[in-house]
Amino acid sequence: MPDFRAGTEDGIRIILWDVPGRSMNVLGFEGLAELAALVDEALADPAVTGIVLTSAKPDFAGGMDLAAFSGLRARGPAGIFAGVMAMHALLRRIERGGADPAAGRPAKPVVAALTGTAAGAGYELALACHRIIAADGARVRIGLPEIRVGLFPGAGGTTRLSRRLGAMAAAPFLLEGRMLAPAEAQAAGLVDEVAPAAALLDRAREWIRTARPADLVKPWDTRGWKMPGGAPYSPEGFMTFVGASAMVNGRTQGCYPAARGLLAAVYEGALVPFDVALRIEARHFTAVLTDPTAEAMIRTLFLNREALEKGAVRPAGEPDRSIRRLGVIGAGMMGAGIARVAAEAGIAVVLIDSTPEAAAAGRARLVAATEAEVARGKLDAARRDAALERITPGAGPAALAGADLVIEAVFEDPEVKARVLAEAAAAAPEAVIATNTSTLPVSGLAAATGRAERFLGIHFFSPVEKMALVEVIRGRATGARAVATALDFVRQLRKTPIVVNDARFFYANRCIIPYVNEGVRLVAEGVAPALVENAARALGMPVGPLQLIDETSIDLGVRIARATRAATGAAYPDAAVDAVLFPMAAEGRLGRKAGAGFYDYDARGRRTGLWPGLAARFPRREAAAAEVRDRLLLVQVLEAVRALEAGVLDEARAGDVGAVLGWGFAPWSGGPFAWIDRTGAAAVAARAAALAARHGPRFAPPGRLVAMAASGARFYPD
Ligand code: NAD
C-alpha cells in the first residue's frame, strides 16, 4: 500500500497523504519517492490545472519518520547531504509549480490543504506550496518542533520560514519549536488562511481557479526581493542577528549543535540566493544529524518517551483501568495541582482536606491561580470553568466513595498519612490507593491500607501542571492492577510515566539531592558560588544547585537531612553539607520564599545576586572550572547507575527519560546512561576513580560501571 494516492476532479489533481497502518502521516524515503513521482506526473500532465496536497487522515502530518533518520545517518555525511538535497529538489519543483520559462510553460498552482496538525517536515512541505490553507480544529497545531529533539528543520523549513517571516519573527518557531493553533498560525503568518474543516477542499480548489500568475512566484524568487526585518548587513538585521546569537549562546551554553547550526544556516543563508541557501541549510543539517546529540535526544525525548507513554511497561493482560472518578486527600499545593490536571483531563474529582473549609479553600486557590492565566490569555476561560466544575470539595473521607483511584497528598508525616490512608481504604473499598510522598517508603505506608497489593506511589513533581514526568512507585506488595491503574491515569493526563521500585527517595530525588549537596559542598570548600552556578549551567543544567535549593527551600533541605541522618546513623555522609545549611536555616535564610538564601532577592522576589555573606564565611579557594563541572555531573550520573544497580530502575531507558523530564538533567546528553555510552564507560569510570581519590567515596565507580568499562558494554546498542 502506498503512502500517497491521487485523483483528479475538474482538472485539479488531489494528492492524498495516507500512510497505511498509522494514525498520523510521517514522511519516509519510500513515501518521498512516491510523492515525487505523483508531483512530477501532475506537473507534466497538460490536463491538470492545479494540485492540492492534502491528507486522508484527521491530521496532515507529524513530520519525518524518526526511524528514517537512523537510515539516513547510516549513509554517512555524503549520503545524508545527497538525500537532503534530493528532498530540496522536489520541494523546489513544487515551489516553481513546474514552470519552464524556456519552453514557455507556466507554473501550476499547488495548494497545501492541512486537514489538521502539520508538524516538522509536514509543515516544511506546505511551506514550499503557493498557498497554505489550514482546517480549523481545537487540537490542531502547526509548526516546526525539530529543535526539541536536537535537530532543526532541514527540509527547507529553516530557509523558507526565515524568509517568509524575517529572522526575528521566525525565531520562536525555529529556535523554540513553538507550535500554534490555526488562528494564531494565521496571525503569525505560518499559514495563509484558515477554513472550516468541511470547506477545506472547496477553498483549495477555489484558490487554484482564481490564482494569478504573480501568486505562483515566491517573493524570494522575484527581482529585488529583500529579507523582511533586514538582511544581516543592514541596521535592523545587525540588531537581530547579533542579539539572536547572544541570546542563543547564553541559553544553550554551546551544548546544542542544532541551535548553532540553525543560527548559522539562517545567517549565512540570508546572504546568498535562495538555492545556495538551501545547500547551506543541507550542510549544517548534515553536521547536526551526524552529531551524537541528535541521536541521544531523539532516542530519549521522542522514541523512548513515546514508548513509555504508550504503555511499554504496562502489566500484560490488565484491562483498561482509565479513571472516571478520582479522590484526592490534601488540598495543598500538590493535592490541588493533581486535582486540577485530572479535571482538565475530563476526570471527576473529589477533593478533601482535614476540614470541609480547607477543601473548599484549596479549590478556591485553584480558581484564583487560573484567573491569572486566563487574564494573560494562556488559558481559555470557558475551558477553565468546565474543568474546575469537575472538582467537588468533599466534607470528609465518606466523599471518596465510588472513586476508582484515591491519591493522598497530605503533610509528609507518616502518622498523618497512615490515618488518612486507613480512612480512604474504608471509604472506597474498590479503589486503588496511592501516595504522593516524596521521601517515605511506599512499602511502609502500604500497611495502613490493609490491601498492599492495591497500593502504590504516584509521585508528581512540582508544579504539577507543568512537569511532564510522573514516577510510579511499586511497593514490595504492589500488584499488576495497581500499576496498570496508575499508568492509565498518567496517560489520561498526557504525562510521561516511569515505573520504579521502592527505595529511599525513589529515582529522581535520589539523584537530584546529591547534585544540590555537591553544590553546597563546593561552597563549603570555598569555591566561588558563581563558579558553582556557572559550571552547572555550562553542563546544560537548567538551574544551578544553589538556585535550586533556594527555590525548593533550605528548611526542606534541613528536614530531609535530619530524616536521612536518623535513617542512616553513623554512616551519614553529608555533615559537610549540614555545616552550611543548618546555620543558614537558623538565621532565617530559607531561600526564595524568605527573600534570602544563597541568593539575595528584591521586594518582588527576583534574584539580585549571590549572597556576599558566603565569601566571609567560607574563605575563597581557587578551583578549576572543569573539576567543578565534572563533580556536579558525575555525582548525578553515578547515583543513576547505583539506582539501576540497586534495582530501583529496571532499565536505562526509564532512567534517561526520568532524568531529563524529572530534573532537567542535561537534555543534550539524552540522560545519564546515554551520556555514559557517549563518553565511554571506561573513561567515566577512570574519571570517577580520580575524583574519588580527591573528594571521597561518593565518587567511587559502582561495580556495574567498572564491569562495563572492562567489557566495553553499553546501555544502548551501538
Ligand atoms: P501542603 O502543605 O501544601 O499540603 C498538605 C495538605 O494536606 C494541606 O492542605 C493540609 O491541610 C492537608 N492535610 C493535613 N492533614 C490532613 C488530614 N489529616 N486529612 C486531610 N488533609 C490533611 O504540602 P504539599 O507540598 O502539597 O505536599 C503534599 C505531599 O506531596 C507530601 O507528601 C510531599 O512530600 C509530597 N510532594 C511534595 C512536592 C513539593 O514539591 N511540594 C513534590 C512531590 C511530592
Side-chain angles (χ1 to χ4, degrees), residues 328-338 352-355 358-359 362 365 397 408-413 415-417 419-420 423 435-440 445 458-464 509 552 556 559:
V328 177
I329 315 174
M333 188 171 80
M334 297 303 288
I338 295 166
I352 66 169
D353 203 288
S354 42
T355 63
R365 276 195 303 277
E408 157 296 292
V410 302
F411 298 143
E412 192 74 340
D413 175 327
E415 279 167 30
V416 178
K417 291 214 189 263
R419 190 155 15 98
V420 303
E423 287 167 356
T435 172
N436 183 50
T437 180
S438 5
T439 57
L440 302 169
L445 292 171
I458 302 184
H459 182 213
F460 285 85
F461 295 81
S462 173
V464 178
N509 285 340
T552 51
L556 177 66
R559 255 181 288 136

Side-chain angles (χ1 to χ4, degrees), residues 307-596:
L308 292 172
E309 286 171 359
K310 288 193 170 161
V313 295
R314 191 178 183 280
E318 276 294 318
D320 180 9
R321 300 280 183 199
S322 296
I323 305 303
R324 283 152 306 151
R325 191 175 164 83
L326 174 74
V328 177
I329 315 174
M333 188 171 80
M334 297 303 288
I338 295 166
R340 173 181 170 183
V341 295
E344 283 174 347
I347 299 170
V349 182
V350 185
L351 180 61
I352 66 169
D353 203 288
S354 42
T355 63
E357 294 72 30
R363 187 181 181 281
R365 276 195 303 277
L366 278 182
V367 175
T370 50
E371 202 52 49
E373 289 171 46
V374 170
R376 270 184 282 131
K378 297 223 154 187
L379 191 61
D380 177 68
R383 276 190 55 202
R384 189 277 308 261
D385 293 346
L388 294 191
E389 268 310 291
R390 293 190 195 103
I391 303 178
T392 314
L400 301 172
D404 309 301
L405 172 68
V406 176
I407 302 180
E408 157 296 292
V410 302
F411 298 143
E412 192 74 340
D413 175 327
E415 279 167 30
V416 178
K417 291 214 189 263
R419 190 155 15 98
V420 303
L421 289 171
E423 287 167 356
E430 298 304 319
V432 166
I433 300 183
T435 172
N436 183 50
T437 180
S438 5
T439 57
L440 302 169
V442 166
S443 306
L445 292 171
T449 63
R451 50 170 198 254
E453 80 291 347
R454 268 190 288 139
F455 180 76
L456 80 177
I458 302 184
H459 182 213
F460 285 85
F461 295 81
S462 173
V464 178
E465 61 279 7
K466 286 226 180 86
M467 297 295 288
L469 188 76
V470 178
E471 259 180 312
V472 172
I473 298 126
R474 216 164 15 204
R476 270 195 302 278
T478 302
R481 170 170 163 194
V483 173
T485 302
L487 291 177
D488 290 354
F489 175 57
V490 173
R491 176 155 54 183
Q492 284 174 286
L493 306 184
R494 298 168 155 255
K495 292 191 182 285
T496 309
I498 58 169
V499 178
V500 304
N501 293 304
D502 193 18
R504 194 167 185 76
F505 299 133
F506 319 126
Y507 173 59
N509 285 340
R510 174 185 180 133
C511 297
I512 194 76
I513 292 170
Y515 166 68
V516 169
N517 283 353
E518 199 63 27
V520 176
R521 282 173 196 277
L522 284 157
V523 169
E525 290 169 23
V527 175
L531 176 55
V532 174
E533 296 290 83
N534 287 334
R537 301 240 306 115
L539 277 175
M541 294 299 293
V543 277
L546 306 179
Q547 185 186 335
L548 188 56
I549 191 167
D550 264 14
E551 304 282 342
T552 51
S553 93
I554 288 173
D555 49 326
L556 177 66
V558 166
R559 255 181 288 136
I560 291 177
R562 290 220 170 91
T564 309
R565 188 185 295 200
T568 53
Y572 183 69
D574 294 327
V577 178
D578 297 355
V580 179
L581 295 189
F582 283 36
M584 285 179 74
E587 289 159 41
R589 294 200 74 90
L590 301 181
R592 177 197 282 282
K593 66 178 181 188

